[in-house]
Amino acid sequence: MKIAVLGGDGFVGWPTCLHLSEAGHDVHILDNLSRRWIDTELGVQSLTPMDSIQERTRIWHNETGRRIHFNLIDIAKDYELLKGWLAKNRPDAIVHFAEQRAAPYSMKSDRHKNYTVNNNVNATHNVLNALVELELDAHLVHLGTMGVYGYSTVGAAIPEGYLPVGIETMDGRTVSQEILYPGNPGSIYHMTKVLDQQLFAFYAKNDGLRITDLHQGIVWGTHTQQTRRHEQLINRFDYDGDYGTVLNRFLIQAAIGYPLTVHGVGGQTRAFIHIQDSVRCIEIALNNPPAKNSRVEIFNQMTETHRVRDLAEMISKMSGTEIAWLPNPRKEAPENDLVVKNDKFMGLGLKPTTLGEGLLAEIVDVAKKYAYRVDRTRVPAVSAWTKDIAAKIEHDPEGKRLKSVS
Ligand code: NAD
Ligand code: USQ
């Protein structure tokens, strides 16, 4: 297949490009490199040293003889460029990663909220709009999030996108219908993914577009089979308080001897998936497109759930690192259960890579190798969800409040 990968320079996008290229697909990255600019804005860098995208694709070509093409296009702002590229190249499929994906970054200020909404919603709408205008029947695979559902359970597993409901009619009958699971986002970022869902539903219904939305859990790990092939193919690995995600942060913190930053009592339960499984799921989704004029296909892309404090305790035991119980900068339930259905990917042959497979230690080793690149002042998460929370949490870039570690 000819595949356009929007956001192919990012944490999940880059290993996906390598995986799809190795599988024999013709891969074209469209990315505006905004994620690299955000690193500059925040004054941080990936734990792992990343080469330019052009250098990465050159190394891939040297290693494999296969080409990955790069196009500098802002999907949200350069509609005509995007449309022109799609018209000229007419890909069979599009994988859409090109959004601002950090919840803390999206909540930093009014400017960051505006940026996240404008970037994410326009990026998604521009792609859909161009597909219709060009009468291009490419399968669109979008990376959504488990966070569209919210995380609480009502004693029932979260289904894959659609919820069967019984509706009482005016003449007293009950009719059943499947509706999109009610959105319950916990940040501006997660809210944009709820808005994306509505755009997809409309374009599938009105224009018959073939769309798959992958509701993905938190991605952990850094290497895949392909990124291991050469030092310069290495993936990005975020550790800072805005972009680092919880499990990867704990592993990096263990590597540098930084008390593990648990928010509150760590009762939050979240869904997880290893980066290797994430790229496999995307390939499976590409190989199983929905029929034209069918509703949006939704998969829950996760393999296991864990409670934050259980992860911290496990990593603390493994590494001897102490745990810091910090005031939570987010507005979220202090404790929740989470049961999620993922039957579709399992039924299509996914063999999950779980936490217990020795990979945690491997990631700590990667982190130790590059520990000299860590700026410890960038570890604390200081983006507060409300002004009230901000007032309560001492802004402490040097992490002095960690001295109150339990
Ligand atoms: P990332 O920030 O590392 O990568 C996103 C890429 O998209 C970057 O290379 C960025 O430059 C590009 N981009 C952003 N806006 C763009 C625009 N307007 N035009 C062109 N390119 C643009 O994020 P990631 O961790 O690789 O996540 C990829 C996708 O997967 C996101 O949509 C995210 O919501 C979703 N997701 C990620 C995780 C996770 O744990 N990382 C979990 C669930 C879902
Ligand atoms: N947390 C800590 N300590 C930390 C960092 C986070 O306790 O140092 C807690 C947070 O308070 C939260 C949980 O861990 O309760 C998860 O936080 P996270 O930053 O790992 O994940 P989140 O903000 O939800 O976002 C990440 C990705 C996002 C993706 C989402 C999937 O950045 O792109 O959509 O995971 S999900 O969580 O399933 O919605």
Side-chain angles (χ1 to χ4, degrees):
M1 276 187 264
K2 183 189 267 193
I3 304 174
V5 182
L6 318 181
D9 186 46
F11 169 60
V12 190
W14 174 241
T16 301
C17 290
L18 301 185
H19 183 82
L20 295 175
S21 176
E22 183 148 293
H25 299 293
D26 178 15
V27 175
H28 298 252
I29 295 175
L30 280 67
D31 199 303
N32 66 348
L33 307 184
S34 53
R35 181 67 193 88
R36 293 178 185 250
W37 277 107
I38 289 174
D39 271 348
T40 305
E41 173 199 342
L42 297 174
V44 296
Q45 59 181 351
S46 161
L47 173 79
T48 46
M50 285 163 71
D51 281 336
S52 70
I53 183 64
Q54 291 89 345
E55 179 66 2
R56 288 170 137 188
T57 55
R58 187 183 72 80
I59 298 290
W60 181 246
H61 181 244
N62 284 352
E63 277 287 300
T64 63
R66 301 197 59 79
R67 286 216 184 273
I68 294 177
H69 308 270
F70 170 64
N71 304 270
L72 185 65
I73 298 181
D74 188 322
I75 311 299
K77 286 191 185 148
D78 300 335
Y79 177 71
E80 292 302 329
L81 263 185
L82 168 68
K83 192 168 112 181
W85 188 91
L86 290 171
K88 187 165 164 221
N89 291 279
R90 299 196 78 84
D92 304 297
I94 299 172
V95 186
H96 175 23
F97 297 104
E99 294 181 82
Q100 190 300 100
R101 70 103 176 129
Y105 183 85
S106 78
M107 302 298 286
K108 279 181 101 62
S109 72
D110 54 351
R111 180 176 75 76
H112 294 91
K113 290 177 186 179
N114 271 343
Y115 168 72
T116 303
V117 172
N118 291 338
N119 186 65
N120 294 5
V121 178
N122 281 329
T124 297
H125 189 258
N126 281 347
V127 176
L128 295 164
N129 200 4
L131 288 176
V132 173
E133 189 58 26
L134 298 169
E135 298 181 24
L136 178 54
D137 181 27
H139 174 205
L140 177 64
V141 175
H142 170 254
L143 272 292
T145 174
M146 285 299 304
V148 297
Y149 302 118
Y151 310 101
S152 63
T153 46
V154 285
I158 292 183
E160 305 208 54
Y162 297 96
L163 181 70
V165 293
I167 304 168
E168 212 169 296
T169 61
M170 282 179 292
D171 57 4
R173 290 172 300 124
T174 302
V175 292
S176 51
Q177 205 178 319
E178 284 206 313
I179 59 167
L180 262 183
Y181 196 92
N184 185 15
S187 72
I188 290 288
Y189 153 72
H190 288 99
M191 188 192 69
T192 63
K193 297 283 181 174
V194 172
L195 298 174
D196 283 347
Q197 284 201 105
Q198 300 298 337
L199 294 174
F200 296 141
F202 175 77
Y203 276 93
K205 181 183 72 168
N206 197 63
D207 300 286
L209 294 190
R210 295 183 297 135
I211 303 168
T212 299
D213 201 3
L214 304 174
H215 289 186
Q216 184 167 240
I218 300 170
V219 182
W220 64 281
T222 180
H223 280 316
T224 60
Q225 274 165 16
Q226 290 79 27
T227 63
R228 278 194 191 89
R229 286 176 72 142
H230 192 286
E231 182 69 20
Q232 284 174 277
L233 295 175
I234 201 158
N235 200 9
R236 67 172 306 127
F237 198 9
D238 299 312
Y239 70 88
D240 61 284
D242 287 311
Y243 273 88
T245 52
V246 64
L247 178 52
N248 275 359
R249 265 164 70 74
F250 288 173
L251 292 166
I252 292 165
Q253 290 163 2
I256 62 167
Y258 193 103
L260 307 178
T261 55
V262 172
H263 293 166
V265 293
Q268 310 92 321
T269 307
R270 294 291 183 271
F272 291 85
I273 183 165
H274 188 265
I275 183 83
Q276 182 70 66
D277 287 348
S278 178
V279 305
R280 285 196 188 116
C281 284
I282 291 160
E283 185 184 20
I284 293 173
L286 285 165
N287 289 336
N288 293 277
K292 210 167 160 49
N293 291 312
S294 59
R295 72 179 183 185
V296 177
E297 182 70 72
I298 300 178
F299 292 82
N300 288 341
Q301 185 163 315
M302 51 71 69
T303 55
E304 50 192 330
T305 59
H306 294 283
R307 207 174 279 276
V308 166
R309 67 169 164 266
D310 295 342
L311 293 175
E313 277 159 9
M314 184 176 66
I315 293 165
S316 171
K317 217 160 139 193
M318 180 181 103
S319 62
T321 315
E322 59 188 335
I323 298 175
W325 306 93
L326 301 172
N328 194 344
R330 305 187 185 201
K331 191 166 185 171
E332 60 185 356
E335 302 267 350
N336 69 283
D337 292 323
L338 183 63
V339 183
V340 180
K341 287 203 168 164
N342 65 350
D343 304 348
K344 287 195 192 172
F345 274 130
M346 300 302 281
L348 290 167
L350 178 68
K351 304 264 177 298
T353 309
T354 53
L355 250 61
E357 291 179 21
L359 281 171
L360 295 180
E362 185 207 56
I363 297 163
V364 174
D365 287 345
V366 173
K368 278 188 177 150
K369 181 171 175 193
Y370 298 109
Y372 67 92
R373 291 170 54 87
V374 173
D375 177 349
R376 296 170 76 94
T377 66
R378 296 300 169 182
V379 174
V382 293
S383 172
W385 258 229
T386 64
K387 292 191 171 124
D388 288 353
I389 296 175
K392 278 191 209 136
I393 295 179
E394 192 190 349
H395 183 84
D396 178 12
E398 288 171 17
K400 292 198 185 74
R401 65 192 155 91
L402 295 181
K403 294 214 170 107
S404 63
V405 161
S406 70

